Amino acid sequence: MPNGFERIRIILCHMVKGSIKVKKGDKVSRTTVLGTMGTTGNSNGVHVHVEIRVDNIAVDPTPYLKVKNNV
């Protein structure tokens, strides 16, 4: 991550085991395939859960993803 972003962790949950296609330090874009979505734990279908943590505290991911929060 660029300087100043070392405190930020992006966590993708419910991915198919072994499907992650990127590693730390890789540059990604909007079209980069990160892995395969799956369904694990107490879920009702295939999806990905994006969690962003700053200093290990979960925060709203929408400002980082540059998408509109519809909630």
Side-chain angles (χ1 to χ4, degrees):
M1 293 234 150
N3 289 336
F5 287 93
E6 294 85 5
R7 302 171 29 223
I8 299 172
R9 288 180 53 208
I10 301 171
I11 303 163
L12 304 175
C13 305
H14 305 295
M15 302 292 285
V16 171
K17 187 174 183 174
S19 73
I20 303 295
K21 302 195 180 307
V22 294
K23 63 186 179 310
K24 185 177 181 176
D26 286 353
K27 289 190 177 189
V28 298
S29 70
R30 276 189 111 118
T31 59
T32 303
V33 175
L34 304 178
T36 304
M37 293 187 301
T39 179
T40 61
N42 188 19
S43 68
N44 293 322
V46 175
H47 70 288
V48 66
H49 168 95
V50 177
E51 183 173 314
I52 297 190
R53 293 182 163 263
V54 178
D55 294 331
N56 209 29
I57 298 170
V59 298
D60 181 357
T62 51
Y64 298 91
L65 301 175
K66 298 181 181 170
V67 296
K68 183 178 178 184
N69 187 346
N70 292 327
V71 178

